[in-house]
PDB file of all heavy atoms in Angstrom:
ATOM      1  N   HIS A 191       4.256  -4.622  10.190  1.00  0.00           N
ATOM      2  CA  HIS A 191       3.820  -4.141   8.878  1.00  0.00           C
ATOM      3  C   HIS A 191       2.541  -3.314   8.990  1.00  0.00           C
ATOM      4  O   HIS A 191       1.720  -3.526   9.882  1.00  0.00           O
ATOM      5  CB  HIS A 191       3.594  -5.320   7.930  1.00  0.00           C
ATOM      6  CG  HIS A 191       4.835  -6.078   7.613  1.00  0.00           C
ATOM      7  ND1 HIS A 191       5.667  -5.736   6.570  1.00  0.00           N
ATOM      8  CD2 HIS A 191       5.407  -7.152   8.208  1.00  0.00           C
ATOM      9  CE1 HIS A 191       6.693  -6.575   6.534  1.00  0.00           C
ATOM     10  NE2 HIS A 191       6.560  -7.445   7.518  1.00  0.00           N
ATOM     11  N   ALA A 192       2.383  -2.413   8.049  1.00  0.00           N
ATOM     12  CA  ALA A 192       1.216  -1.535   8.014  1.00  0.00           C
ATOM     13  C   ALA A 192      -0.032  -2.313   7.619  1.00  0.00           C
ATOM     14  O   ALA A 192      -0.030  -3.052   6.634  1.00  0.00           O
ATOM     15  CB  ALA A 192       1.453  -0.398   7.020  1.00  0.00           C
ATOM     16  N   ASN A 193      -1.122  -2.117   8.390  1.00  0.00           N
ATOM     17  CA  ASN A 193      -2.398  -2.719   8.067  1.00  0.00           C
ATOM     18  C   ASN A 193      -3.149  -1.859   7.045  1.00  0.00           C
ATOM     19  O   ASN A 193      -2.708  -0.762   6.692  1.00  0.00           O
ATOM     20  CB  ASN A 193      -3.232  -2.894   9.333  1.00  0.00           C
ATOM     21  CG  ASN A 193      -2.672  -3.970  10.253  1.00  0.00           C
ATOM     22  OD1 ASN A 193      -1.706  -4.652   9.915  1.00  0.00           O
ATOM     23  ND2 ASN A 193      -3.281  -4.120  11.418  1.00  0.00           N
ATOM     24  N   ARG A 194      -4.291  -2.361   6.597  1.00  0.00           N
ATOM     25  CA  ARG A 194      -5.039  -1.685   5.532  1.00  0.00           C
ATOM     26  C   ARG A 194      -5.328  -0.207   5.848  1.00  0.00           C
ATOM     27  O   ARG A 194      -5.057   0.667   5.001  1.00  0.00           O
ATOM     28  CB  ARG A 194      -6.334  -2.448   5.258  1.00  0.00           C
ATOM     29  CG  ARG A 194      -7.091  -1.972   4.023  1.00  0.00           C
ATOM     30  CD  ARG A 194      -8.373  -2.787   3.842  1.00  0.00           C
ATOM     31  NE  ARG A 194      -9.055  -2.471   2.601  1.00  0.00           N
ATOM     32  CZ  ARG A 194      -8.839  -3.092   1.452  1.00  0.00           C
ATOM     33  NH1 ARG A 194      -7.954  -4.069   1.398  1.00  0.00           N
ATOM     34  NH2 ARG A 194      -9.505  -2.737   0.361  1.00  0.00           N
ATOM     35  N   PRO A 195      -5.847   0.139   7.042  1.00  0.00           N
ATOM     36  CA  PRO A 195      -6.059   1.571   7.321  1.00  0.00           C
ATOM     37  C   PRO A 195      -4.763   2.383   7.310  1.00  0.00           C
ATOM     38  O   PRO A 195      -4.775   3.566   6.937  1.00  0.00           O
ATOM     39  CB  PRO A 195      -6.698   1.568   8.719  1.00  0.00           C
ATOM     40  CG  PRO A 195      -7.272   0.207   8.876  1.00  0.00           C
ATOM     41  CD  PRO A 195      -6.341  -0.711   8.144  1.00  0.00           C
ATOM     42  N   ASP A 196      -3.662   1.772   7.717  1.00  0.00           N
ATOM     43  CA  ASP A 196      -2.375   2.465   7.700  1.00  0.00           C
ATOM     44  C   ASP A 196      -1.923   2.726   6.266  1.00  0.00           C
ATOM     45  O   ASP A 196      -1.365   3.790   5.958  1.00  0.00           O
ATOM     46  CB  ASP A 196      -1.320   1.638   8.431  1.00  0.00           C
ATOM     47  CG  ASP A 196      -1.772   1.201   9.811  1.00  0.00           C
ATOM     48  OD1 ASP A 196      -2.402   2.017  10.505  1.00  0.00           O
ATOM     49  OD2 ASP A 196      -1.518   0.044  10.191  1.00  0.00           O
ATOM     50  N   LEU A 197      -2.145   1.757   5.386  1.00  0.00           N
ATOM     51  CA  LEU A 197      -1.817   1.955   3.975  1.00  0.00           C
ATOM     52  C   LEU A 197      -2.646   3.093   3.396  1.00  0.00           C
ATOM     53  O   LEU A 197      -2.131   3.926   2.626  1.00  0.00           O
ATOM     54  CB  LEU A 197      -2.052   0.664   3.191  1.00  0.00           C
ATOM     55  CG  LEU A 197      -1.154  -0.527   3.554  1.00  0.00           C
ATOM     56  CD1 LEU A 197      -1.608  -1.786   2.808  1.00  0.00           C
ATOM     57  CD2 LEU A 197       0.311  -0.232   3.239  1.00  0.00           C
ATOM     58  N   GLU A 198      -3.916   3.150   3.761  1.00  0.00           N
ATOM     59  CA  GLU A 198      -4.762   4.249   3.286  1.00  0.00           C
ATOM     60  C   GLU A 198      -4.218   5.592   3.761  1.00  0.00           C
ATOM     61  O   GLU A 198      -4.232   6.584   3.002  1.00  0.00           O
ATOM     62  CB  GLU A 198      -6.196   4.048   3.783  1.00  0.00           C
ATOM     63  CG  GLU A 198      -6.902   2.858   3.154  1.00  0.00           C
ATOM     64  CD  GLU A 198      -8.282   2.623   3.738  1.00  0.00           C
ATOM     65  OE1 GLU A 198      -8.417   2.643   4.976  1.00  0.00           O
ATOM     66  OE2 GLU A 198      -9.218   2.416   2.954  1.00  0.00           O
ATOM     67  N   GLU A 199      -3.738   5.635   5.000  1.00  0.00           N
ATOM     68  CA  GLU A 199      -3.174   6.884   5.526  1.00  0.00           C
ATOM     69  C   GLU A 199      -1.930   7.296   4.745  1.00  0.00           C
ATOM     70  O   GLU A 199      -1.751   8.483   4.418  1.00  0.00           O
ATOM     71  CB  GLU A 199      -2.848   6.723   7.013  1.00  0.00           C
ATOM     72  CG  GLU A 199      -2.369   7.992   7.683  1.00  0.00           C
ATOM     73  CD  GLU A 199      -2.314   7.873   9.192  1.00  0.00           C
ATOM     74  OE1 GLU A 199      -2.967   6.972   9.756  1.00  0.00           O
ATOM     75  OE2 GLU A 199      -1.623   8.708   9.823  1.00  0.00           O
ATOM     76  N   ILE A 200      -1.078   6.317   4.434  1.00  0.00           N
ATOM     77  CA  ILE A 200       0.133   6.610   3.673  1.00  0.00           C
ATOM     78  C   ILE A 200      -0.203   7.077   2.253  1.00  0.00           C
ATOM     79  O   ILE A 200       0.406   8.011   1.729  1.00  0.00           O
ATOM     80  CB  ILE A 200       1.053   5.372   3.653  1.00  0.00           C
ATOM     81  CG1 ILE A 200       1.715   5.175   5.019  1.00  0.00           C
ATOM     82  CG2 ILE A 200       2.121   5.474   2.566  1.00  0.00           C
ATOM     83  CD1 ILE A 200       2.619   6.331   5.441  1.00  0.00           C
ATOM     84  N   HIS A 201      -1.193   6.444   1.632  1.00  0.00           N
ATOM     85  CA  HIS A 201      -1.631   6.900   0.308  1.00  0.00           C
ATOM     86  C   HIS A 201      -2.057   8.366   0.373  1.00  0.00           C
ATOM     87  O   HIS A 201      -1.749   9.160  -0.531  1.00  0.00           O
ATOM     88  CB  HIS A 201      -2.808   6.062  -0.186  1.00  0.00           C
ATOM     89  CG  HIS A 201      -2.488   4.628  -0.428  1.00  0.00           C
ATOM     90  ND1 HIS A 201      -3.448   3.709  -0.791  1.00  0.00           N
ATOM     91  CD2 HIS A 201      -1.325   3.932  -0.358  1.00  0.00           C
ATOM     92  CE1 HIS A 201      -2.888   2.520  -0.943  1.00  0.00           C
ATOM     93  NE2 HIS A 201      -1.602   2.629  -0.669  1.00  0.00           N
ATOM     94  N   GLY A 202      -2.770   8.720   1.442  1.00  0.00           N
ATOM     95  CA  GLY A 202      -3.253  10.084   1.577  1.00  0.00           C
ATOM     96  C   GLY A 202      -2.156  11.090   1.830  1.00  0.00           C
ATOM     97  O   GLY A 202      -2.249  12.246   1.402  1.00  0.00           O
ATOM     98  N   ILE A 203      -1.109  10.684   2.543  1.00  0.00           N
ATOM     99  CA  ILE A 203       0.004  11.606   2.811  1.00  0.00           C
ATOM    100  C   ILE A 203       0.846  11.842   1.560  1.00  0.00           C
ATOM    101  O   ILE A 203       1.153  12.987   1.203  1.00  0.00           O
ATOM    102  CB  ILE A 203       0.887  11.050   3.951  1.00  0.00           C
ATOM    103  CG1 ILE A 203       0.141  11.142   5.292  1.00  0.00           C
ATOM    104  CG2 ILE A 203       2.220  11.803   4.033  1.00  0.00           C
ATOM    105  CD1 ILE A 203       0.896  10.542   6.455  1.00  0.00           C
ATOM    106  N   PHE A 204       1.219  10.768   0.874  1.00  0.00           N
ATOM    107  CA  PHE A 204       2.135  10.929  -0.255  1.00  0.00           C
ATOM    108  C   PHE A 204       1.424  11.317  -1.555  1.00  0.00           C
ATOM    109  O   PHE A 204       2.047  11.884  -2.443  1.00  0.00           O
ATOM    110  CB  PHE A 204       2.945   9.645  -0.459  1.00  0.00           C
ATOM    111  CG  PHE A 204       4.010   9.436   0.573  1.00  0.00           C
ATOM    112  CD1 PHE A 204       3.905   8.443   1.537  1.00  0.00           C
ATOM    113  CD2 PHE A 204       5.119  10.273   0.615  1.00  0.00           C
ATOM    114  CE1 PHE A 204       4.887   8.266   2.491  1.00  0.00           C
ATOM    115  CE2 PHE A 204       6.112  10.105   1.570  1.00  0.00           C
ATOM    116  CZ  PHE A 204       5.995   9.102   2.518  1.00  0.00           C
ATOM    117  N   LYS A 205       0.133  10.999  -1.663  1.00  0.00           N
ATOM    118  CA  LYS A 205      -0.637  11.344  -2.862  1.00  0.00           C
ATOM    119  C   LYS A 205       0.157  11.070  -4.149  1.00  0.00           C
ATOM    120  O   LYS A 205       0.380  11.965  -4.978  1.00  0.00           O
ATOM    121  CB  LYS A 205      -1.073  12.812  -2.821  1.00  0.00           C
ATOM    122  CG  LYS A 205      -1.993  13.145  -1.657  1.00  0.00           C
ATOM    123  CD  LYS A 205      -2.379  14.615  -1.668  1.00  0.00           C
ATOM    124  CE  LYS A 205      -3.424  14.914  -0.605  1.00  0.00           C
ATOM    125  NZ  LYS A 205      -2.937  14.664   0.770  1.00  0.00           N
ATOM    126  N   PRO A 206       0.601   9.843  -4.344  1.00  0.00           N
ATOM    127  CA  PRO A 206       1.464   9.561  -5.499  1.00  0.00           C
ATOM    128  C   PRO A 206       0.682   9.605  -6.809  1.00  0.00           C
ATOM    129  O   PRO A 206      -0.530   9.363  -6.849  1.00  0.00           O
ATOM    130  CB  PRO A 206       1.947   8.131  -5.209  1.00  0.00           C
ATOM    131  CG  PRO A 206       0.817   7.509  -4.436  1.00  0.00           C
ATOM    132  CD  PRO A 206       0.285   8.620  -3.568  1.00  0.00           C
ATOM    133  N   LYS A 207       1.415   9.879  -7.882  1.00  0.00           N
ATOM    134  CA  LYS A 207       0.808   9.825  -9.213  1.00  0.00           C
ATOM    135  C   LYS A 207       0.449   8.386  -9.566  1.00  0.00           C
ATOM    136  O   LYS A 207      -0.519   8.123 -10.282  1.00  0.00           O
ATOM    137  CB  LYS A 207       1.771  10.408 -10.248  1.00  0.00           C
ATOM    138  CG  LYS A 207       1.174  10.522 -11.644  1.00  0.00           C
ATOM    139  CD  LYS A 207       2.177  11.095 -12.638  1.00  0.00           C
ATOM    140  CE  LYS A 207       2.402  12.573 -12.387  1.00  0.00           C
ATOM    141  NZ  LYS A 207       3.238  13.166 -13.484  1.00  0.00           N
ATOM    142  N   MET A 208       1.241   7.426  -9.049  1.00  0.00           N
ATOM    143  CA  MET A 208       0.984   6.006  -9.290  1.00  0.00           C
ATOM    144  C   MET A 208       1.488   5.198  -8.111  1.00  0.00           C
ATOM    145  O   MET A 208       2.321   5.683  -7.321  1.00  0.00           O
ATOM    146  CB  MET A 208       1.671   5.540 -10.582  1.00  0.00           C
ATOM    147  CG  MET A 208       3.181   5.616 -10.543  1.00  0.00           C
ATOM    148  SD  MET A 208       3.967   5.259 -12.139  1.00  0.00           S
ATOM    149  CE  MET A 208       3.569   6.752 -13.062  1.00  0.00           C
ATOM    150  N   LEU A 209       1.003   3.975  -7.993  1.00  0.00           N
ATOM    151  CA  LEU A 209       1.415   3.101  -6.896  1.00  0.00           C
ATOM    152  C   LEU A 209       1.810   1.738  -7.449  1.00  0.00           C
ATOM    153  O   LEU A 209       1.120   1.182  -8.307  1.00  0.00           O
ATOM    154  CB  LEU A 209       0.285   2.948  -5.871  1.00  0.00           C
ATOM    155  CG  LEU A 209       0.614   2.055  -4.661  1.00  0.00           C
ATOM    156  CD1 LEU A 209       0.132   2.682  -3.364  1.00  0.00           C
ATOM    157  CD2 LEU A 209       0.008   0.662  -4.825  1.00  0.00           C
ATOM    158  N   ILE A 210       2.917   1.203  -6.938  1.00  0.00           N
ATOM    159  CA  ILE A 210       3.364  -0.149  -7.271  1.00  0.00           C
ATOM    160  C   ILE A 210       3.355  -0.969  -5.990  1.00  0.00           C
ATOM    161  O   ILE A 210       4.182  -0.759  -5.100  1.00  0.00           O
ATOM    162  CB  ILE A 210       4.781  -0.158  -7.889  1.00  0.00           C
ATOM    163  CG1 ILE A 210       4.899   0.850  -9.031  1.00  0.00           C
ATOM    164  CG2 ILE A 210       5.120  -1.579  -8.357  1.00  0.00           C
ATOM    165  CD1 ILE A 210       3.977   0.575 -10.199  1.00  0.00           C
ATOM    166  N   PRO A 211       2.406  -1.897  -5.836  1.00  0.00           N
ATOM    167  CA  PRO A 211       2.424  -2.746  -4.646  1.00  0.00           C
ATOM    168  C   PRO A 211       3.636  -3.681  -4.676  1.00  0.00           C
ATOM    169  O   PRO A 211       3.990  -4.226  -5.732  1.00  0.00           O
ATOM    170  CB  PRO A 211       1.129  -3.552  -4.761  1.00  0.00           C
ATOM    171  CG  PRO A 211       0.310  -2.873  -5.810  1.00  0.00           C
ATOM    172  CD  PRO A 211       1.288  -2.225  -6.731  1.00  0.00           C
ATOM    173  N   MET A 212       4.275  -3.868  -3.534  1.00  0.00           N
ATOM    174  CA  MET A 212       5.403  -4.807  -3.447  1.00  0.00           C
ATOM    175  C   MET A 212       5.311  -5.556  -2.127  1.00  0.00           C
ATOM    176  O   MET A 212       4.446  -5.310  -1.299  1.00  0.00           O
ATOM    177  CB  MET A 212       6.742  -4.084  -3.559  1.00  0.00           C
ATOM    178  CG  MET A 212       7.053  -3.209  -2.380  1.00  0.00           C
ATOM    179  SD  MET A 212       8.785  -2.771  -2.240  1.00  0.00           S
ATOM    180  CE  MET A 212       8.750  -1.760  -0.754  1.00  0.00           C
ATOM    181  N   HIS A 213       6.247  -6.460  -1.910  1.00  0.00           N
ATOM    182  CA  HIS A 213       6.367  -7.227  -0.675  1.00  0.00           C
ATOM    183  C   HIS A 213       5.049  -7.919  -0.352  1.00  0.00           C
ATOM    184  O   HIS A 213       4.376  -7.594   0.620  1.00  0.00           O
ATOM    185  CB  HIS A 213       6.811  -6.333   0.489  1.00  0.00           C
ATOM    186  CG  HIS A 213       7.457  -7.109   1.622  1.00  0.00           C
ATOM    187  ND1 HIS A 213       6.721  -7.873   2.496  1.00  0.00           N
ATOM    188  CD2 HIS A 213       8.745  -7.241   2.008  1.00  0.00           C
ATOM    189  CE1 HIS A 213       7.535  -8.434   3.387  1.00  0.00           C
ATOM    190  NE2 HIS A 213       8.770  -8.066   3.096  1.00  0.00           N
ATOM    191  N   GLY A 214       4.720  -8.907  -1.165  1.00  0.00           N
ATOM    192  CA  GLY A 214       3.509  -9.671  -0.925  1.00  0.00           C
ATOM    193  C   GLY A 214       3.300 -10.716  -2.001  1.00  0.00           C
ATOM    194  O   GLY A 214       3.882 -10.625  -3.089  1.00  0.00           O
ATOM    195  N   GLU A 215       2.483 -11.708  -1.683  1.00  0.00           N
ATOM    196  CA  GLU A 215       2.066 -12.664  -2.693  1.00  0.00           C
ATOM    197  C   GLU A 215       1.140 -11.954  -3.675  1.00  0.00           C
ATOM    198  O   GLU A 215       0.705 -10.825  -3.438  1.00  0.00           O
ATOM    199  CB  GLU A 215       1.354 -13.837  -2.022  1.00  0.00           C
ATOM    200  CG  GLU A 215       2.245 -14.603  -1.051  1.00  0.00           C
ATOM    201  CD  GLU A 215       1.473 -15.585  -0.186  1.00  0.00           C
ATOM    202  OE1 GLU A 215       0.231 -15.690  -0.366  1.00  0.00           O
ATOM    203  OE2 GLU A 215       2.099 -16.237   0.668  1.00  0.00           O
ATOM    204  N   HIS A 216       0.818 -12.632  -4.780  1.00  0.00           N
ATOM    205  CA  HIS A 216       0.015 -11.972  -5.805  1.00  0.00           C
ATOM    206  C   HIS A 216      -1.304 -11.458  -5.241  1.00  0.00           C
ATOM    207  O   HIS A 216      -1.766 -10.354  -5.588  1.00  0.00           O
ATOM    208  CB  HIS A 216      -0.246 -12.927  -6.980  1.00  0.00           C
ATOM    209  CG  HIS A 216      -0.810 -12.244  -8.179  1.00  0.00           C
ATOM    210  ND1 HIS A 216      -2.154 -11.963  -8.321  1.00  0.00           N
ATOM    211  CD2 HIS A 216      -0.203 -11.765  -9.299  1.00  0.00           C
ATOM    212  CE1 HIS A 216      -2.367 -11.360  -9.470  1.00  0.00           C
ATOM    213  NE2 HIS A 216      -1.198 -11.214 -10.085  1.00  0.00           N
ATOM    214  N   ARG A 217      -1.912 -12.220  -4.339  1.00  0.00           N
ATOM    215  CA  ARG A 217      -3.187 -11.793  -3.771  1.00  0.00           C
ATOM    216  C   ARG A 217      -3.034 -10.513  -2.953  1.00  0.00           C
ATOM    217  O   ARG A 217      -3.953  -9.665  -2.938  1.00  0.00           O
ATOM    218  CB  ARG A 217      -3.794 -12.913  -2.912  1.00  0.00           C
ATOM    219  CG  ARG A 217      -2.945 -13.304  -1.712  1.00  0.00           C
ATOM    220  CD  ARG A 217      -3.423 -14.603  -1.061  1.00  0.00           C
ATOM    221  NE  ARG A 217      -2.574 -14.986   0.044  1.00  0.00           N
ATOM    222  CZ  ARG A 217      -2.863 -14.752   1.320  1.00  0.00           C
ATOM    223  NH1 ARG A 217      -4.004 -14.149   1.631  1.00  0.00           N
ATOM    224  NH2 ARG A 217      -2.049 -15.132   2.277  1.00  0.00           N
ATOM    225  N   HIS A 218      -1.891 -10.342  -2.286  1.00  0.00           N
ATOM    226  CA  HIS A 218      -1.641  -9.104  -1.552  1.00  0.00           C
ATOM    227  C   HIS A 218      -1.462  -7.936  -2.523  1.00  0.00           C
ATOM    228  O   HIS A 218      -2.006  -6.841  -2.298  1.00  0.00           O
ATOM    229  CB  HIS A 218      -0.383  -9.235  -0.690  1.00  0.00           C
ATOM    230  CG  HIS A 218      -0.458 -10.278   0.373  1.00  0.00           C
ATOM    231  ND1 HIS A 218      -0.067 -11.581   0.161  1.00  0.00           N
ATOM    232  CD2 HIS A 218      -0.869 -10.224   1.665  1.00  0.00           C
ATOM    233  CE1 HIS A 218      -0.222 -12.275   1.266  1.00  0.00           C
ATOM    234  NE2 HIS A 218      -0.722 -11.485   2.195  1.00  0.00           N
ATOM    235  N   LEU A 219      -0.696  -8.163  -3.575  1.00  0.00           N
ATOM    236  CA  LEU A 219      -0.453  -7.096  -4.548  1.00  0.00           C
ATOM    237  C   LEU A 219      -1.760  -6.659  -5.199  1.00  0.00           C
ATOM    238  O   LEU A 219      -2.007  -5.456  -5.390  1.00  0.00           O
ATOM    239  CB  LEU A 219       0.544  -7.567  -5.615  1.00  0.00           C
ATOM    240  CG  LEU A 219       1.890  -8.128  -5.128  1.00  0.00           C
ATOM    241  CD1 LEU A 219       2.797  -8.413  -6.322  1.00  0.00           C
ATOM    242  CD2 LEU A 219       2.569  -7.186  -4.154  1.00  0.00           C
TER     243      LEU A 219
END
């Protein structure tokens, strides 16, 4: 699974209008 810096990289590549966190407990989301 992608770690925090990897998630930041993906956010930067896709530049989404919005983000929906999934696949995690509430604290992860």
Side-chain angles (χ1 to χ4, degrees):
H191 295 272
N193 290 355
R194 189 180 186 90
D196 309 320
L197 295 173
E198 292 176 313
E199 185 169 341
I200 287 298
H201 295 176
I203 289 176
F204 286 109
K205 298 180 173 63
K207 186 181 288 188
M208 64 187 73
L209 180 136
I210 310 298
M212 68 162 180
H213 202 285
E215 298 169 2
H216 192 277
R217 62 192 178 99
H218 297 90
L219 306 186

